[in-house]
Amino acid sequence: MPISRASHLSRRGLLAAGGAIGLGAALAACGGGDDKKSGGTDKGAGKSGPWSFKDDRAKTVELKSTPKTIVAFTGTAAALHDYGVEVKAVFGPTKTKDGKPDVQAGDLDISKVEILGNVWGEFNVEKYAALGPDLLVTDMWEKDALWYVPDNSKDKILKLAPSVALWAAQISMPAALQRRADLAASLGADLKAAKVTAAKARFEKAAARLRAAAKANPGVTVMIGSASADLFYVSAPKMSADTAYFQELGVKFVEPKVNAQGFFEELSWENVGKYKADVIMMDNRSTALQPDALKSKPTWAGLPAVKAGQVTPRTTEPIYSYDKCAPILESLAKAIETAKKVA
């Protein structure tokens, strides 16, 4: 949805619409501390017999056998796919207006999954019921709030199958990765498979590279941005799992004067130059305006980082598999390694 309609949305709706750069992190202020550290892999990994999994609400799902008909939020489904676990249907941004896979679909073959909803507030309950689902899986940005499960149909949806929710906020990227790996393993994934171990090794190498880049270029400052027609949003790095981790690795970020919610600052385009940054990470979601669409805005074109060509995409809603997160770290490392001090 356009940002201009954000005032009519719930806090979760605002995030989904692309207005909050911190994304679900802006919601996670309500989240509990111990719940997000709840148990890892439970029974059922590739075995017959009972299956159980304790999610990040500290709720344990118990089934007579490993679930086969799985329905998941698109980004979570993409993460499971990278571990070899396939879902029957998805909900959330899956395909763009021209029919191509959305960035949040990862390597999913979107022609082979049922799409129950492609935008915020859309979830076809009838199609979901017809699938005979065994399990629903999604992210959680706010405690007990299931990402992209509409509030007005939530009760009907949750009656049809048990659900698993995994934190996507208030934890660092490695913890988010581990929880998706835990779930995949419980569903039969082989975490010792060559593809998985290679991806994890690449992630660890990329993390070391980013740490080294930040140490070698301590003066380089990064700003996290997201654009709409009327506003430019600057996020607080500590409020999102990805940027919180980058900060742990030594990346220096712009620290905005956040709004009342405490997660990001809205700037008019006249004031977009308020903060000095050498590199700008821009929200790559389909709900946000991309840099090519901002060329007509003189204040954007005048930013030192823009003039220097030091704008890099930000995967605002990462697919939490090692395969998809490693390139994110590599991209930022390269941006910092090659950045000139321009601010």
Side-chain angles (χ1 to χ4, degrees), residues 89-177:
V90 296
F91 54 95
T94 306
K95 63 180 179 181
T96 60
K97 292 180 180 179
D98 59 4
K100 296 180 180 179
D102 188 274
V103 292
Q104 295 186 59
D107 292 334
L108 286 176
D109 185 342
I110 64 172
S111 69
K112 293 184 178 180
V113 292
E114 184 84 49
I115 300 174
L116 302 178
N118 196 57
V119 298
W120 183 258
E122 183 179 86
F123 192 114
N124 192 313
V125 181
E126 290 73 22
K127 285 186 178 180
Y128 178 60
L131 291 169
D134 296 322
L135 184 69
L136 182 142
V137 184
T138 191
D139 290 347
M140 184 169 62
W141 298 96
E142 181 182 22
K143 182 163 171 51
D144 296 331
L146 304 186
W147 194 233
Y148 270 84
V149 175
D151 289 336
N152 60 3
S153 55
K154 177 181 65 176
D155 291 343
K156 292 180 180 178
I157 292 168
L158 296 182
K159 286 180 181 179
L160 294 170
S163 61
V164 162
L166 300 178
W167 277 110
Q170 283 198 350
I171 57 176
S172 189
M173 179 179 274
L177 282 163

Side-chain angles (χ1 to χ4, degrees), residues 1 15 19 26 59 116 122 137 148 153 188 200 202 208 217 223-224 230 234 256 277 285 290 308 313 324:
M1 293 183 187
L15 299 175
K59 292 185 177 181
L116 302 178
E122 183 179 86
V137 184
Y148 270 84
S153 55
K200 187 172 182 179
R202 180 183 174 187
N217 298 279
M223 181 165 64
I224 310 159
D230 301 318
V234 182
R285 291 176 296 167
Q290 300 305 302
K324 295 299 180 292

Side-chain angles (χ1 to χ4, degrees), residues 164-243:
V164 162
L166 300 178
W167 277 110
Q170 283 198 350
I171 57 176
S172 189
M173 179 179 274
L177 282 163
Q178 184 61 55
R179 292 299 284 140
R180 275 70 180 174
D182 290 342
L183 177 60
S186 80
L187 294 169
D190 180 6
L191 299 188
K192 295 182 179 180
K195 179 181 178 182
V196 176
T197 57
K200 187 172 182 179
R202 180 183 174 187
F203 175 83
E204 292 169 348
K205 183 178 180 180
R209 178 183 173 185
L210 180 55
R211 187 188 296 276
K215 185 176 182 179
N217 298 279
V220 171
T221 301
V222 179
M223 181 165 64
I224 310 159
S226 184
S228 72
D230 301 318
L231 295 171
F232 184 80
Y233 300 83
V234 182
S235 72
K238 67 179 180 180
M239 298 307 296
S240 185
D242 60 333
T243 50

